[in-house]
Amino acid sequence: MVTIKSKKEIELMKDVCKIVAEFYEQLEKKVGRVTALTHKAIEDAIKPGMTTADIDRIAEETMKKYGAVSAEKGYDPGIRGVPPYPAATCISINDEVIHGVPSNKRIIKDGDIVSVDLVALKNGYNGDAARTFLVGNVSEEAKRLVEATKQAFFEGIKYAKKGNRIGDVSHAIGEYIKSQGYSVVREFEGHGIGRDMHEEPEIPNYGRAGRGIRLEPGMTLAIEPMVIQGKPDIWELEDGWTIVTQDGSLAAHYENTILITENEPELLTIL
């Protein structure tokens, strides 16, 4: 069942979502370029050699500073043989699509694209956002992929309005990705969010317009294009979490938590 949030619940979600956005502003100073907050290039503030565990520590410390915890850390998918998620964030590099597990052994190199997906939990509510960062001397092809992934989100939320349907959002995202010559990940999708990290409805990044539930004010949704430079086929690694492209092509991820209002959608995870 899709939940409609009260005014008080929305205020609590706005609070936790600001913490998520604050993390990305802090990471801008640590990594280089943050596609969430700016349309222009920023100066890289890191040399090759940082690990994904370093980023994970920055995220967890920032959430703690603002009275939140990671909703991802310890998350149990309920799948036999798959352990609870061990880290505060999901960090995926280059051909890793989503759910990369941070590690002291996973070293970020010059030219990498690094996707960071995190969910902050505070006062019983979740805020979810993902960005793909450009580290160092990134190729033009990689830059274009990251920018197209971000733009796909904004193409989708043009339709995230009262009275429209989920399919209108999904269709707009999918058509834009296809127009850019990329592939959409079909096995994973966006979702409702609130007291639970994953709530109804499911929000695919493709589909037919005019299908699905109608959007109503008070709905809070995590919309997240996951885009592959090559073919759409993916693998799951032996850790039970990390998803990679089968053909080794690059992948990018962009996500925000939004609120459906009487008018335009409100982006809760952007400062």
Side-chain angles (χ1 to χ4, degrees):
M1 181 179 68
V2 179
T3 60
I4 305 298
K5 276 69 175 183
S6 67
K7 289 183 179 180
K8 182 173 179 56
E9 288 177 312
I10 290 168
E11 288 305 312
L12 290 170
M13 286 200 65
K14 286 181 178 180
D15 184 37
V16 70
C17 286
K18 285 179 182 177
I19 293 170
V20 176
E22 173 72 13
F23 164 66
Y24 287 115
E25 184 177 55
Q26 293 298 320
L27 194 59
E28 180 176 11
K29 301 170 185 175
K30 302 287 183 180
V31 175
R33 183 177 299 164
V34 183
T35 56
L37 303 173
T38 182
H39 293 286
K40 61 183 180 181
I42 63 170
E43 182 179 0
D44 293 323
I46 188 172
K47 295 179 181 179
M50 187 177 190
T51 70
T52 53
D54 293 332
I55 296 176
D56 192 66
R57 281 190 288 271
I58 293 168
E60 192 160 26
E61 289 169 3
T62 303
M63 284 186 273
K64 182 179 179 181
K65 174 183 175 182
Y66 291 99
V69 297
S70 167
E72 293 174 325
K73 193 170 188 176
Y75 174 76
D76 188 348
I79 301 173
R80 185 176 180 180
V82 178
Y85 192 73
T89 61
C90 297
I91 304 178
S92 309
I93 302 177
N94 296 334
D95 66 332
E96 296 170 347
V97 185
I98 50 173
H99 301 164
V101 180
S103 168
N104 285 313
K105 297 180 180 180
R106 193 71 165 100
I107 300 172
I108 298 169
K109 300 179 177 63
D110 183 71
D112 283 344
I113 61 173
V114 182
S115 298
V116 181
D117 186 3
L118 68 91
V119 185
L121 173 63
K122 182 180 180 182
N123 294 326
Y125 289 89
N126 294 275
D128 192 356
R131 304 286 187 268
T132 299
F133 302 98
L134 309 176
V135 181
N137 299 301
V138 177
S139 69
E140 291 302 317
E141 291 82 4
K143 291 178 183 178
R144 181 174 177 270
L145 171 68
V146 171
E147 183 58 31
T149 303
K150 176 181 176 180
Q151 186 58 36
F153 167 86
F154 286 99
E155 293 297 322
I157 66 166
K158 290 178 182 178
Y159 298 88
K161 299 179 181 180
K162 175 184 176 181
N164 285 350
R165 295 184 180 272
I166 286 292
D168 299 329
V169 177
S170 300
H171 177 76
I173 292 172
E175 289 301 300
Y176 179 78
I177 291 171
K178 184 166 64 175
S179 75
Q180 300 303 300
Y182 299 130
S183 300
V184 62
V185 175
R186 289 177 171 256
E187 292 85 350
F188 296 90
E189 54 201 6
H191 50 90
I193 186 170
R195 286 192 173 275
D196 293 324
M197 179 165 51
H198 297 119
E199 298 181 351
E200 294 183 6
E202 296 176 342
I203 310 170
N205 290 307
Y206 67 95
R208 294 179 61 181
R211 299 293 181 92
I213 66 166
R214 288 197 184 276
L215 300 177
E216 298 180 33
M219 289 182 177
T220 46
L221 311 172
I223 297 175
E224 50 179 321
M226 291 159 273
V227 182
I228 296 176
Q229 195 174 42
K231 296 180 179 179
D233 308 297
I234 57 176
W235 293 111
E236 181 181 85
L237 298 187
E238 291 182 359
D239 62 14
W241 286 103
T242 309
I243 303 297
V244 301
T245 62
Q246 284 193 22
D247 60 9
S249 60
L250 296 175
H253 188 190
Y254 186 88
E255 176 185 21
N256 282 305
T257 299
I258 73 166
L259 168 68
I260 303 300
T261 73
E262 291 287 344
N263 299 298
E264 296 295 321
E266 185 174 351
L267 279 63
L268 303 183
T269 46
I270 290 181
L271 293 173

